[in-house]
Amino acid sequence: MAFSKYTRRNKIRRRIRKSLTGTAERPRLSVYRSNKEIYAQIIDDTTGKTLSAASSRDKGFKANGNKAEVAKEVGKAIAEKAKEAGIEAVAFDRGGYLYHGRVKQLAEGAREGGLKF
């Protein structure tokens, strides 16, 4: 019997996280997407702290268009917040999602904003 979407995603997520950790020099950019919204966090795994976060639900966040366009704007927003925190390079954690669609748009938006990964 096939795995559910949730189980499959978590298996992939655990496989990715075995080799991917965020350090103080190169924190982890973690992505979570729901059916309506998209969230991104920059995390230092050595201390367990979230250094910066952005989502499509933030106050003052204005983005019109489809969900992919909103994801690109969230990527630009997280890059801007990372620059303010002094972060230039990150390790991209796609969270078990395919690098396609909204996850890819968020990554491209973050790259346009100046993050390196």
Side-chain angles (χ1 to χ4, degrees):
M1 193 157 116
F3 291 115
S4 68
K5 283 185 197 179
Y6 176 77
T7 306
R8 180 181 174 280
R9 184 183 147 250
N10 275 330
K11 283 182 69 171
I12 295 167
R13 185 174 162 270
R14 283 193 302 268
R15 191 178 329 134
I16 292 168
R17 290 282 290 122
K18 268 194 277 188
S19 62
L20 186 78
T21 57
T23 62
E25 299 82 36
R26 191 176 176 98
R28 178 170 55 99
L29 172 59
S30 176
V31 176
Y32 174 75
R33 66 175 176 83
S34 67
N35 285 337
K36 290 184 178 181
E37 312 291 346
I38 190 156
Y39 309 84
Q41 289 184 322
I42 296 181
I43 304 165
D44 179 4
D45 289 319
T46 55
T47 60
K49 302 273 186 194
T50 298
L51 306 174
S52 175
S55 77
S56 56
R57 296 192 59 175
D58 286 347
K59 289 187 182 202
F61 182 78
K62 300 276 193 234
N64 296 326
N66 61 21
K67 292 188 276 189
E69 292 166 358
V70 170
K72 193 165 197 167
E73 292 302 316
V74 170
K76 289 178 183 176
I78 192 72
E80 184 179 314
K81 289 183 179 183
K83 290 272 184 181
E84 291 172 7
I87 300 165
E88 295 181 7
V90 294
F92 188 67
D93 176 12
R94 58 190 173 90
Y97 303 108
L98 295 176
Y99 186 77
H100 181 332
R102 289 190 281 159
V103 174
K104 184 176 180 180
Q105 289 297 317
L106 188 138
E108 288 176 0
R111 283 190 185 106
E112 284 179 18
L115 278 181
K116 292 182 179 71
F117 51 94

